[in-house]
Amino acid sequence: MPRVRIKDAQIYYEVVGQGSPLVLTTGQGTGPQARAALIEGLARQHRVLVYDQRGTGRSEAVPQGQSMDELADDIVGLMDAAGFDQAHVLGISTGTGKATSLAARHPQRVQRLVLAAPWTHGDEELHILQNMRKAAARCLPPDHYVHFNALLIYPPEYRRAHAARFRALAEQALQSAQDAEGIAARLDAILRFDARPLYPRISCPTLVVGARDDLVMPFWFAEAAARAIAGARLATVEHGGHLFAETSSDEFLRLALPFLA
């Protein structure tokens, strides 16, 4: 699968599916079901560009902690490599910061925008949570950190239904040293980002989706983002946790696909 050099890093990407171009940008974390069902559903109607953020996964190992603007510029380079002059952009979790920056700073590249589980800025609640995650990454063994993160990100029913697979992820985490400083750098980049000055610059049709039981990016962020972006629609997922696009992918696709059609 292809890599492309953007600035100082080789970034892994692939394009799957048929239809109009769509960029999927996410955070690094994912659970036992990963995003396979989500990507499969999107790929039925779109050519979906997926990638590993610089410094993570199959991309080149480089220092992390880049700003959302820098990570959004990576998306521009990936779109160029894939031949996407313009595309719909779907951001999930940390990906909503990258997608917001992209839509505000490169409006000619974004047709429609979906922000799933966004945050508007590093408020007090988010600082408390992310600082706890940084401390946990430094203090907990890798397998315990997997379970700690799962408590924050996934609903109890989902964790119970996939308990064996979460155990497997925890065991897999023991196979390599935990990059606590890389985790901290990524979380600090989230806390530094302030989307509020960018929202008035977004001119494309926008759908904001939030879950009422999201512990990481509480629903008030989705409400505030939808109010601040001109003409934006707000859709609510009642249950699904922070990564509802993964845990409730069918429900999320029923919201996102008609908007992207």
Side-chain angles (χ1 to χ4, degrees), residues 144-166:
H144 289 197
Y145 184 70
V146 168
H147 289 302
F148 172 78
N149 250 346
L151 291 172
L152 298 175
I153 293 172
Y154 299 100
E157 297 85 356
Y158 186 84
R159 296 198 308 272
R160 181 171 64 177
H162 299 92
R165 295 183 178 182
F166 275 112

Side-chain angles (χ1 to χ4, degrees), residues 184-220:
R186 293 195 301 273
L187 296 177
D188 283 337
I190 290 170
L191 292 174
R192 289 194 303 269
F193 180 64
D194 190 342
R196 293 171 296 181
L198 297 176
Y199 288 149
R201 296 166 58 184
I202 295 176
S203 56
C204 63
T206 302
L207 173 67
V208 182
V209 190
R212 292 197 183 276
D213 63 344
D214 187 341
L215 298 180
V216 179
M217 306 298 186
F219 186 68
W220 63 67

